[in-house]
Amino acid sequence: MFRLFGPKTYESFVQSYALADGSYAYQARCACGYFSDVYLHDQGFVEDLRENHAVTHQ
């Protein structure tokens, strides 16, 4: 099947997980199936991973 209106776009996002001690873990995810490792207390780094992966779909 071909695309009539350009390339397919994928939604990417940062998933947060609340931990029992009140802290959070973060993971970059994409609708294409990509997911990063889970990182504790490092939301900025995971956001950078998400942005870096999103560039691959442009």
Side-chain angles (χ1 to χ4, degrees):
M1 182 174 184
F2 58 91
R3 305 248 177 242
L4 296 176
F5 301 106
K8 182 172 183 170
T9 59
Y10 294 99
E11 179 183 358
S12 62
F13 56 95
V14 173
Q15 177 75 47
S16 61
Y17 301 95
L19 304 178
D21 66 357
S23 62
Y24 288 88
Y26 302 95
Q27 181 181 44
R29 301 184 65 87
C30 183
C32 75
Y34 166 81
F35 58 92
S36 70
D37 292 335
V38 176
Y39 295 90
L40 300 174
H41 315 292
D42 210 350
Q43 184 178 9
F45 176 71
V46 175
E47 189 64 40
D48 290 344
L49 287 175
R50 184 203 62 79
E51 289 176 17
N52 186 48
H53 175 75
V55 169
T56 65
H57 292 300
Q58 293 181 356

